[in-house]
């Protein structure tokens, strides 16, 4: 496909500006650019076609099934977008006086309240811009707490080997040293391994529940107790709340701090880099350290305030506000019972698809899953040389976005499916039929799978090269 700069023709434009009717005020020479910017010059029709063509080359949840595990690519209702596009939300300035933006402050206030209710936490900050940013924020709360208690020695953060890769990265960014513990044979936290690493230097534990292979930590209360007894705090990675939201609450399980991904569970679109939102909720003991500013209610008036021992600002202004508007719209339209129904349907869809495949594919475990399930293609690879990557690429030819592959690391040749609650039984049946067809192909014609995809506009890019040396600028020379 031709790039926009290659399509550019000198003199073409989309501007229909009226003639200038005020005196020109030229910029001072030292701040004016010397050469005109090299912007592409195109008529509006060609520009529209260019972007429409780009859109057709990508796959989003509006195009088809997108069971990308750990990402919760659910359908997001258009009403969320409509609310976030209201001029009273889009046309405000972050430095406007509080009394002129009472409605927007109420949005932040209500979103915090509802998300506290959903998670079983006491207080919340909507400032972090993404899940990993929420992790960093939550960990800084834990650090500030230990420091305030004169226990700065507590720098050890325990992270199970099934954790999302962002967990150890955030912990080390926050100044903790990461101690990994291996999972038990059933994929859950090994309590003895946990006890063995708890000591007076323990800062806390980071945990995902349901964990990354989609199963619920049944000993969760005991896990929290072990960490608390050693003086540590327990962090809940709540990015994947979709299988338990409205059914059980991390706060009730014993967790002290949590981050959520509004751009997963709470129905705001993601992919392509944002914008996201990773609110952090906590119990009362951590609330004094929450980022500034917070929104509080004084009688009938909403106003900004600082927590007494705040860790400071985590982001300019008040977080990604319009993402919060979308999430609040979702919460208000679906309601409490709706959240519970959504989680139950997400779990049902996951187990339905898993059951439709478990007679031929090897599952990472054989119990009820929550929001996602994991297939291991290790046996297929051994028998016929077809890998998880081959299967993922083949799915593209059937109009299905591949599941997450090679994650979690504890499952070899992993394919991780997360169907979400918004998919119909027909879509799940179609996916199961495609996966069965691919399985047969693996044994009858493995070459066809090595050569997949045949219909996608890009075959198999050199992923290492693409990640290490991305070419993001047009070379004009
Ligand atoms: C997606 C995810 C994250 C990171 O969220 P980002 O918004 O991409 O930073 C962290 N933990 C888990 C379990 C996730 O699934």
């Amino acid at each position: 496909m031709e790039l926009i700069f290659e399509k550019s023709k000198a003199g073409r434009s989309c501007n229909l500006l009226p003639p200038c009717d005020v005196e020109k005020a030229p910029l001072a020479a030292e701040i004016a650019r010397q050469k005109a910017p090299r912007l592409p010059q195109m008529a509006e029709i060609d520009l529209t076609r260019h972007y429409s063509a780009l859109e057709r080359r990508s796959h989003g949840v509006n195009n088809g099934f997108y069971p990308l595990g750990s990402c919760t690519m659910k359908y997001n209702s258009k009403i969320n977008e409509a609310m976030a596009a209201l001029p009273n939300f889009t046309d405000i300035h972050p430095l406007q006086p509080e009394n002129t933006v009472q409605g927007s402050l109420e949005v932040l206030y209500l979103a915090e309240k509802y998300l506290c209710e959903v998670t079983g936490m006491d207080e919340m900050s909507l400032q972090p811009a993404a899940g990993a940013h929420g992790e960093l924020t939550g960990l800084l709360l834990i650090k500030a707490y230990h420091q305030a208690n004169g226990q700065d020695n507590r720098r050890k953060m325990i992270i199970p080997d099934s954790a999302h890769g962002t967990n150890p990265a955030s912990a080390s960014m926050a100044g903790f040293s990461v101690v990994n513990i291996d999972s038990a044979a059933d994929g859950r936290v090994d309590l003895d391994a946990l006890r063995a690493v708890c000591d007076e230097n323990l800062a806390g534990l980071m945990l995902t529940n349901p964990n990354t292979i989609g199963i619920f930590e049944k000993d969760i209360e005991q896990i929290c107790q072990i960490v608390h007894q050693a003086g540590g705090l327990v962090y809940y990675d709540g990015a994947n709340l979709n299988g338990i939201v409205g059914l059980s609450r991390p706060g009730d399980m014993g967790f002290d701090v949590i981050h959520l991904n509004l751009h997963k569970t709470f129905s705001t679109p993601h992919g392509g880099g944002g914008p996201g939102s990773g609110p952090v909720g906590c119990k009362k003991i951590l609330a004094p350290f929450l980022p500034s500013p917070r929104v509080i209610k004084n009688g009938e008036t909403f106003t900004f305030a600082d927590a007494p021992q705040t860790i400071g600002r985590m982001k300019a202004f008040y977080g990604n506000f319009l993402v919060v508007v979308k999430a609040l719209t979702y919460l208000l339209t679906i309601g409490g019972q709706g959240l519970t129904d959504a989680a139950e349907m997400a779990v049902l869809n996951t187990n339905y698809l898993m059951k439709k495949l478990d007679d031929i594919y090897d599952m990472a475990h054989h119990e009820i899953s929550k929001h996602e399930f994991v297939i291991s293609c290790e046996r297929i690879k051994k028998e016929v040389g077809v890998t998880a990557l081959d299967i993922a690429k083949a799915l593209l030819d059937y109009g299905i976005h591949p599941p997450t592959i090679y994650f979690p690391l504890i499952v070899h040749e992993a394919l991780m499916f997360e169907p979400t609650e918004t998919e119909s039984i027909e879509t799940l049946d179609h996916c199961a039929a495609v996966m069965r067809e691919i399985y047969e192909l693996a044994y009858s014609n493995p070459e066809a799978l090595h050569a997949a995809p045949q219909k996608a506009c890009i075959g198999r890019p050199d992923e290492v090269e693409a990640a290490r040396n991305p070419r993001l600028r047009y070379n004009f020379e």
Side-chain angles (χ1 to χ4, degrees):
M1 181 173 164
E2 262 189 319
L3 300 178
I4 195 164
F5 291 104
E6 292 160 352
K7 289 179 179 167
S8 171
K9 293 272 182 289
R12 303 229 173 124
S13 81
C14 320
N15 298 338
L16 286 174
L17 295 178
C20 182
D21 59 359
V22 293
E23 209 177 309
K24 283 192 181 168
L27 288 175
E30 67 270 22
I31 59 168
R33 56 162 86 237
Q34 301 305 310
K35 280 194 220 145
R38 290 180 291 192
L39 297 176
Q41 302 183 44
M42 289 175 93
E44 186 170 321
I45 182 173
D46 298 317
L47 190 64
T48 303
R49 285 178 183 159
H50 179 75
Y51 282 106
S52 299
L54 280 178
E55 189 199 332
R56 283 193 300 276
R57 288 163 69 91
S58 70
H59 183 102
V61 77
N62 291 349
N63 307 98
F65 194 31
Y66 205 139
L68 191 66
S70 205
C71 292
T72 318
M73 304 301 284
K74 62 171 78 176
Y75 173 75
N76 305 299
S77 298
K78 295 294 171 260
I79 188 168
N80 302 347
E81 296 298 321
M83 292 304 112
L86 290 176
N88 284 357
F89 292 137
T90 57
D91 293 353
I92 52 177
H93 191 279
L95 295 177
Q96 234 170 283
E98 287 169 5
N99 65 349
T100 65
V101 285
Q102 285 293 302
S104 295
L105 295 189
E106 187 172 3
V107 165
L108 294 170
Y109 183 85
L110 277 182
E112 277 185 29
K113 284 278 163 290
Y114 290 146
L115 293 172
C116 279
E117 173 69 30
V118 161
T119 53
M121 292 292 165
D122 299 319
E123 304 281 342
M124 184 153 298
S125 166
L126 299 170
Q127 228 178 70
H133 197 204
E135 289 170 28
L136 177 65
T137 307
L139 290 164
L140 290 176
L141 297 182
I142 294 179
K143 192 172 163 191
Y145 170 85
H146 289 311
Q147 279 172 338
N149 290 339
Q151 298 200 308
D152 205 16
N153 59 302
R154 291 193 175 269
R155 288 296 174 95
K156 184 153 117 182
M157 189 58 65
I158 304 172
I159 304 183
D161 60 357
S162 61
H164 196 268
T166 50
N167 289 190
S170 302
S172 89
M173 242 180 129
F176 294 106
S177 56
V178 174
V179 176
N180 253 294
I181 50 170
D182 295 337
S183 302
D186 65 357
R188 294 188 168 89
V189 170
D190 182 334
L191 295 185
D192 291 328
L194 174 62
R195 279 192 199 96
V197 290
C198 284
D199 59 21
E200 71 287 351
N201 293 320
L202 181 67
L205 164 77
M206 290 184 88
L207 201 68
T208 308
N209 186 30
N211 66 21
T212 44
I213 56 174
I215 54 176
F216 197 85
E217 297 284 351
K218 59 180 168 35
D219 300 322
I220 192 63
E221 288 171 338
Q222 226 180 324
I223 293 170
C224 291
Q225 208 178 8
I226 293 170
V227 176
H228 283 148
Q229 268 164 6
L233 295 180
V234 198
Y235 183 100
Y236 186 100
D237 180 335
N240 301 143
L241 211 67
N242 214 40
I244 65 158
V245 62
L247 294 167
S248 66
R249 308 193 308 169
D252 300 338
M253 297 174 203
F255 286 91
D256 303 292
V257 54
I258 182 175
H259 87 265
L260 300 171
N261 277 36
L262 297 190
H263 50 289
K264 286 180 182 169
T265 317
F266 297 95
S267 191
T268 92
H270 64 299
S277 177
V280 169
C282 65
K283 293 280 177 65
K284 282 203 173 68
I285 51 162
L286 290 173
F289 309 103
L290 279 170
S292 286
R294 313 213 37 223
V295 177
I296 58 165
K297 193 173 179 186
N298 264 338
E300 288 308 302
T301 311
F302 298 95
T303 173
F304 288 118
D306 291 338
Q309 292 160 276
T310 179
I311 57 168
R313 256 180 204 279
M314 291 304 292
K315 187 180 184 309
F317 303 111
Y318 320 113
N320 281 328
F321 173 64
L322 294 177
V323 177
V324 177
V325 173
K326 291 178 206 182
L328 181 63
T329 307
Y330 175 67
L331 288 168
L332 290 172
T333 48
I334 195 169
Q337 185 58 43
L339 272 186
T340 305
D341 294 345
E344 285 178 349
M345 193 58 81
V347 173
L348 181 62
N349 277 357
T350 302
N351 288 282
Y352 180 81
L353 186 55
M354 180 166 135
K355 272 284 155 223
K356 291 216 113 181
L357 296 173
D358 74 354
D359 57 327
I360 51 174
Y361 285 99
D362 299 332
M363 297 297 157
H365 62 81
H366 290 281
E367 41 187 308
I368 300 273
S369 265
K370 292 292 177 278
H371 59 297
E372 62 196 1
F373 68 90
V374 183
I375 290 174
S376 168
C377 301
E378 199 172 13
R379 172 180 51 85
I380 306 176
K381 183 180 173 189
K382 229 181 257 157
E383 289 174 0
V384 290
V386 168
T387 63
L389 180 71
D390 292 332
I391 294 175
K393 293 290 182 188
L395 281 166
L396 289 169
D397 284 335
Y398 294 90
I400 295 176
H401 192 286
T404 295
I405 58 174
Y406 298 103
F407 181 80
L409 303 176
I410 50 176
V411 178
H412 294 148
E413 294 293 324
L415 290 175
M416 185 199 234
F417 282 85
E418 181 178 7
T420 84
E421 72 280 14
T422 57
E423 298 298 336
S424 68
I425 192 167
E426 290 79 15
T427 301
L428 300 178
D429 286 343
H430 173 67
C431 177
V434 166
M435 282 297 287
R436 299 185 81 88
E437 199 174 316
I438 290 174
Y439 188 87
E440 276 173 18
L441 262 180
Y443 285 85
S444 62
N445 183 8
E447 282 314 311
L449 295 181
H450 297 319
Q454 301 286 353
K455 295 183 198 153
C457 49
I458 294 175
R460 298 207 182 190
D462 179 341
E463 286 168 12
V464 176
E465 175 69 14
R468 295 286 148 84
N469 296 310
R471 281 189 288 143
L472 304 174
R473 300 182 63 189
Y474 183 66
N475 185 1
F476 284 97
E477 277 69 52

